[in-house]
Amino acid sequence: MSQDQTFSSTATRAAARVALVTCADLPDLDEDDRALVPALAERGIAAEPVAWTDPGVDWSAYDLAVIRNTWDYARRREEFVAWARGVPRLANAAAVIEWNTDKRYLRDLAFAGIPVVPTAWVEPGEQWRPVGTGEIVVKPAVSGGSIDTGRYDLATQADRAAELVRTLLADGRVVMIQPYLAGVDTAGETALLFFHGTFSHAIRKGAILTGPYEGTEKLYQNENISPREPSAAELALAKEVLAALPAPAEELLYARVDLLPSPEGPVVIEVELTEPSLFLGHAPGSAGRLSDAIERHLRLR
């Protein structure tokens, strides 16, 4: 009997249990991910939202835990990584989560020859002084949802940029300084979504950063999302990124490659392997494709 037949005759007869991992602030999942529950049910898989911080959860009781809306981890990354290591069946794997939750992974991609947004890194204990002209982006290396992130014109806002850098460093956080690529204001950002290494869909994300960071109590900044057909160059670069990751693309349940336009062509701004928005509501059939990938992931474990 094949492995797939074994899964079909046992796990689907006694419905496989999948935890869709979220945070306490979103106990019923983000609206975009709720479509997974009925889509998985159609495949004989019982899925339920579970907060990663819930101390009463027995993670071993689930056939698979799929990280979805754990968007509160940035201020407690060490705790989050330790939690991931303790979950016996997790997608994506804990080693991937540890690598991907610190944006210094961009160094690894650049070393592999992937074009990324040029980045200067400032470590706690170091000093940073604004130099040059133009616009820059300041953000922490561990972050999500554009929180603690600001856009600054060095001609008029250098002091405010330096203030955010000092605040982040004083909090023990590594800081990233990047040029603001103005092409995003018109072309937007392109996010390409892959399930088990196979391209599913892409979206356009409108420019988010309009000026200095003013603080927020929200988990993430609001985004302007619409479907997009990626260019050949964007799709080719995304596939290069997948080939350069520390885990084979076919082992990753999901991967999102975020690209910005530059005068030299598309460049990588982020690679989301931990808890990315997958924009299922903007791509018909994508909830089904992800559910198929989850079903396949269960067979392979």
Side-chain angles (χ1 to χ4, degrees):
M1 180 178 290
S2 71
Q3 189 175 33
D4 283 2
Q5 289 172 323
T6 301
F7 176 83
S8 176
S9 63
T10 57
T12 54
R13 187 168 57 231
R17 293 186 67 203
V18 169
L20 299 175
V21 188
T22 185
C23 63
D25 289 327
L26 293 167
D28 298 316
L29 298 172
D30 179 69
E31 181 179 359
D32 192 61
D33 287 290
R34 290 175 196 153
L36 284 174
V37 176
L40 287 167
E42 291 176 1
R43 291 155 176 80
I45 299 169
E48 59 184 293
V50 186
W52 72 275
T53 51
D54 185 341
V57 175
D58 177 8
W59 296 101
S60 67
Y62 292 97
D63 298 288
L64 184 66
V66 178
I67 298 178
R68 291 309 319 123
N69 306 145
T70 57
W71 295 334
D72 60 348
Y73 83 86
R75 292 300 184 95
R76 51 205 300 192
R77 175 179 175 266
E78 290 186 7
E79 180 184 349
F80 182 64
V81 170
W83 164 82
R85 291 183 187 138
V87 178
R89 293 171 292 277
L90 184 67
N92 286 323
V96 173
I97 302 308
E98 184 170 8
W99 180 82
N100 186 237
T101 48
D102 187 323
K103 292 182 176 62
R104 282 178 285 186
Y105 66 75
L106 290 172
R107 291 173 171 173
D108 297 338
L109 296 180
F111 185 76
I114 301 296
V116 304
V117 176
T119 306
W121 306 88
V122 188
E123 306 274 346
E126 296 180 343
Q127 300 290 322
W128 179 78
R129 179 177 301 173
V131 294
T133 58
E135 290 187 289
I136 62 169
V137 173
V138 176
K139 59 185 174 183
V142 178
S143 64
S146 298
I147 304 301
D148 296 325
T149 299
R151 169 183 172 182
Y152 300 88
D153 186 337
L154 290 176
T156 58
Q157 298 169 325
D159 288 346
R160 296 195 65 181
E163 180 183 5
L164 179 58
V165 172
R166 286 194 299 269
T167 298
L168 294 172
L169 292 175
D171 198 31
R173 306 170 80 182
V174 176
V175 180
M176 308 167 62
I177 313 292
Q178 298 175 321
Y180 185 79
L181 300 182
V184 71
D185 290 333
T186 52
E189 180 178 324
T190 300
L192 297 93
L193 286 303
F194 296 82
F195 303 144
H196 277 158
T198 299
F199 176 69
S200 171
H201 58 285
I203 58 93
R204 176 192 184 275
K205 185 187 300 185
I208 297 176
L209 300 178
T210 58
Y213 182 62
E214 302 292 352
T216 181
E217 296 298 320
K218 298 187 296 185
L219 287 174
Y220 53 86
Q221 304 282 26
N222 293 331
E223 298 175 328
N224 181 10
I225 306 298
S226 58
R228 164 166 280 177
E229 188 69 28
S231 69
E234 289 172 331
L235 189 55
L237 176 54
K239 290 180 177 179
E240 286 182 35
V241 171
L242 294 186
L245 296 178
E250 60 271 17
E251 293 181 7
L252 299 172
L253 177 60
Y254 49 80
R256 196 183 93 196
V257 181
D258 295 348
L259 306 177
L260 291 180
S262 81
E264 292 75 33
V267 293
V268 175
I269 181 68
E270 287 191 14
V271 180
E272 297 270 11
L273 309 177
T274 302
E275 30 59 88
S277 293
L278 299 175
F279 310 112
L280 303 177
H282 295 272
S286 59
R289 290 191 291 275
L290 178 55
S291 296
D292 288 341
I294 291 172
E295 185 177 29
R296 179 173 179 267
H297 212 80
L298 284 162
R299 291 179 181 138
L300 296 176
R301 296 198 67 84

